[in-house]
Amino acid sequence: MKAFFNQLFDYNFQSNKKLITTCQEMEQVPEQLAMRFSHILNAHHIWNARAMGKPSEFSVFQVHPVSGWADIHYENQRTSFDITTHADDFEIRIDYEDSEGRLFTNTLQDILFHIINHSTHHRGQMAIDFRTAGKEPLPLDYIFYKR
């Protein structure tokens, strides 16, 4: 399970890193794209914090400057690898409060998979944002990563 999640998080890291680099090279990052990517970073941070039983430093829709994306992304990745490296039981149930204050319980593996799936979902939406801005979206499918 550790190897599986480490591979998924590496895919997530590489995909997001390509997006960060591309956006840093743009003269102007479209507002919707910046909002979506900030949301990806925030959600990853929030779910990491929940998995560790700690409070989050970010809110769900907080917008970060493009210049800060790489540092947040790196820290998210480091924390996720730390979680997977030290996990003895991926079926452990984690109690947490959502952004609206409701209480839930999910397994660690569900939370970790959600981080990856959530990021992939929003990167797909960002492909539309790139097209709307007249730019070609990046090929970020998992199979391209594996090739």
Side-chain angles (χ1 to χ4, degrees):
M1 191 63 70
K2 288 180 185 195
F4 172 73
F5 278 116
N6 284 342
Q7 185 170 336
L8 287 180
F9 278 106
D10 187 59
Y11 156 67
N12 192 63
F13 182 79
Q14 296 303 324
S15 295
N16 286 347
K17 187 175 177 184
K18 288 177 183 178
L19 277 169
I20 291 168
T21 300
T22 299
C23 288
Q24 287 174 335
E25 293 169 353
M26 295 171 77
E27 191 171 306
Q28 179 68 35
V29 176
E31 183 179 355
Q32 186 66 34
L33 196 148
M35 289 171 53
R36 282 192 218 279
F37 196 75
S38 288
H39 175 66
I40 288 172
L41 295 173
N42 295 335
H44 192 157
H45 174 84
I46 290 166
W47 282 108
N48 277 344
R50 288 173 180 164
M52 296 183 309
K54 296 181 177 180
S56 172
E57 299 171 17
F58 300 143
S59 62
V60 177
F61 296 107
Q62 181 177 345
V63 178
H64 304 282
V66 176
S67 61
W69 288 0
D71 289 340
I72 296 168
H73 179 50
Y74 176 80
E75 185 60 27
N76 282 343
Q77 182 73 2
R78 190 198 60 73
T79 301
S80 291
F81 274 137
D82 194 48
I83 290 167
T84 59
T85 299
H86 294 98
D88 293 324
D89 181 7
F90 287 87
E91 292 288 332
I92 190 170
R93 300 198 61 79
I94 296 172
D95 298 325
Y96 62 91
E97 192 174 295
D98 74 0
S99 59
E100 297 175 5
R102 296 176 295 193
L103 297 175
F104 291 95
T105 300
N106 288 98
T107 63
L108 178 59
Q109 71 183 5
D110 289 341
I111 288 171
L112 294 172
F113 188 76
H114 176 71
I115 293 170
I116 302 300
N117 196 49
H118 178 265
S119 297
T120 302
H121 167 75
H122 287 301
R123 283 194 302 266
Q125 291 176 320
M126 289 172 68
I128 296 168
D129 297 334
F130 271 98
R131 286 205 191 277
T132 301
K135 308 250 184 238
E136 187 65 25
L138 300 172
L140 300 175
D141 290 342
Y142 181 73
I143 200 67
F144 295 132
Y145 161 78
K146 290 301 289 182
R147 289 179 185 164

